[in-house]
Amino acid sequence: MPRRTVTMLCSTLTLIALLCTGLLLPVPYSELAPGPTVNTLGKHDGDPVLQIDGRRTYPTSGHLNMTTVQVTGADYRMNLVEAMAGWIAHDGAVVPHDTLYPDDKSAEEVDQENAEEFTASQESAKVAALEALDIPVGTRVIVSSVVKGGAAEGELHAGDVILAVDGKKVREPADVVEGVTRHSPGEKAVFTVVPASRAKGKGTDPAGKEVSVTTRRSPEDGRAVVGIQAGTEHTFPFDIEIELADVGGPSAGLMFALGLIDKLDAPSLTGGRFVAGTGTIDDDGTVGPIGGITMKTIAAREAGAEYFLTPADNCAAAAADTPEGLTLVKVEDLDGALDALALVREGKKDRLPTCRAAG
């Protein structure tokens, strides 16, 4: 073979090798894909998703499935070939990596935020469900956080229930602030608390125990402080546990609330139909938008869902690419979701408030 031909061949092979190497280089994108769906009325890994103790429950039927989105890990970087395949695929979405994992946060911090949002959504789901059933929900004042190095470190702990300060009963976090700032810096404030380890469940030991904390001077305004943040948490007249590991974020709130209502009241909400959905929920029952809506509708339909409860603000995006055979039901609040489920079980599909594509 002539030397020139050999040289050209080698140059071509080198170019191909460089191109291939370029295609395999990491790019700053991550992929979203349909994730598992879980029936809130059923079991997950052998345990009931919703566990209620101390209150009568009723038989349920059908499905009220929460939906999830799978994402590539924080440390994984897609290559260009994978990103291009994801852009082409119908059942996936490629998004900038920093929209899922911001550069100013570690993967552990992102996971912690997702876990905290998931816990908060469970609490709001319980409150919204019980208030929809006219079951009273209480509140109590707690230690939300303790400042590292502050006066209360080692004396008070996150989750402790604060019953009184200096013998004066507290009803809201402002009462704690007032009780502490009544002192001069250096004086002791006496807290009556129920330790977090004993505060779980329906009730609280009314006696509690006294904990004395020496106040310090605030560097901001000179007032007496002890280095805690007081907050509130809800109390329920019976025990409710939501068991679902490896799920983060607030988007299952609506489906948890509906599942609880279905178990605590009769008749069955679904009438035996397969309903899935998503949406955050506030204590007052307001349903909010979520991310990854298209991935969730695909996951729901693949699992067998006929109806999908869709937050109103996600309706246009969901309707732009609706899986065949799935009816998207527009939902703004818990009452609206319950009304829609009544139409589903009565077979009045044509009266459902459905989602429409933009334009």
Side-chain angles (χ1 to χ4, degrees), residues 17-357:
L18 289 172
L19 287 172
C20 289
T21 301
L23 291 173
L24 297 177
L25 287 175
V27 292
Y29 292 95
S30 295
E31 185 174 25
L32 307 179
T37 75
V38 178
N39 186 11
T40 61
L41 303 177
K43 294 184 177 182
H44 181 65
D45 291 338
D47 296 317
V49 175
L50 304 176
Q51 301 184 36
I52 299 169
D53 184 32
R55 180 86 176 193
R56 179 183 177 184
T57 58
Y58 296 85
T60 61
S61 62
H63 288 248
L64 284 171
N65 280 40
M66 58 156 287
T67 50
T68 64
V69 175
Q70 290 183 326
V71 300
T72 51
D75 297 328
Y76 182 77
R77 293 295 190 274
M78 303 177 71
N79 60 47
L80 185 56
V81 172
E82 292 172 324
M84 292 173 66
W87 279 317
I88 296 171
H90 173 70
D91 60 350
V94 176
V95 299
H97 185 271
D98 59 10
T99 62
L100 301 176
Y101 303 100
D103 291 336
D104 60 347
K105 295 180 182 178
S106 67
E108 290 73 20
E109 288 174 324
V110 172
D111 289 342
Q112 180 63 29
E113 285 184 4
N114 286 334
E116 290 172 356
E117 289 179 340
F118 185 62
T119 299
S121 76
Q122 294 181 35
E123 290 303 295
S124 290
K126 295 175 187 178
V127 174
L130 267 58
E131 291 192 344
L133 295 172
D134 293 326
I135 298 174
V137 176
T139 59
R140 59 190 179 190
V141 179
I142 63 167
V143 177
S144 293
S145 61
V146 179
V147 176
K148 185 173 179 59
E153 185 177 22
E155 302 293 340
L156 300 175
H157 304 86
D160 288 351
V161 176
I162 304 174
L163 302 179
V165 178
D166 297 326
K168 186 175 181 180
K169 187 175 181 179
V170 301
R171 293 179 172 81
E172 55 184 284
D175 295 337
V176 178
V177 176
E178 181 183 345
V180 172
T181 56
R182 191 181 300 120
H183 291 275
S184 297
E187 294 181 345
K188 289 184 179 293
V190 180
F191 293 80
T192 305
V193 302
V194 177
S197 59
R198 290 165 48 203
K200 302 296 183 183
K202 295 178 290 184
T204 296
D205 180 352
K209 70 172 186 177
E210 291 189 347
V211 177
S212 294
V213 181
T214 302
T215 63
R216 297 179 184 176
R217 183 180 300 276
S218 168
E220 284 81 19
D221 55 20
R223 295 188 306 169
V225 295
V226 295
I228 65 169
Q229 180 70 43
T232 58
E233 71 175 10
H234 295 101
T235 59
F236 305 104
F238 48 90
D239 292 330
I240 304 172
E241 295 294 334
I242 299 177
E243 300 292 339
L244 198 59
D246 302 323
V247 176
S251 64
L254 170 63
M255 301 313 292
F256 285 147
L258 291 172
L260 289 170
I261 291 171
D262 207 356
K263 284 177 170 285
L264 289 167
D265 198 19
S268 164
L269 289 184
T270 68
R273 309 305 289 267
F274 196 136
V275 179
T278 188
T280 66
I281 198 163
D282 294 339
D283 291 356
D284 63 3
T286 300
V287 174
I290 52 80
I293 186 65
T294 301
M295 301 301 101
K296 292 184 175 183
T297 57
I298 292 172
R301 186 57 185 149
E302 289 179 348
E306 307 166 81
Y307 301 91
F308 191 89
L309 302 179
T310 312
D313 288 344
N314 290 125
C315 259
D321 192 15
T322 308
E324 185 177 354
L326 187 66
T327 299
L328 303 181
V329 182
K330 181 179 179 180
V331 174
E332 296 183 351
D333 53 36
L334 184 56
D335 286 342
L338 292 170
D339 291 342
L341 289 173
L343 295 173
V344 167
R345 65 175 178 269
E346 293 167 7
K348 299 177 180 178
K349 181 178 178 179
D350 59 324
R351 292 178 54 187
L352 286 169
T354 54
C355 294
R356 299 179 184 277

Side-chain angles (χ1 to χ4, degrees), residues 7-29:
T7 301
M8 291 177 62
L9 178 60
C10 289
S11 297
T12 301
L13 292 174
T14 300
L15 180 59
I16 293 173
L18 289 172
L19 287 172
C20 289
T21 301
L23 291 173
L24 297 177
L25 287 175
V27 292
Y29 292 95

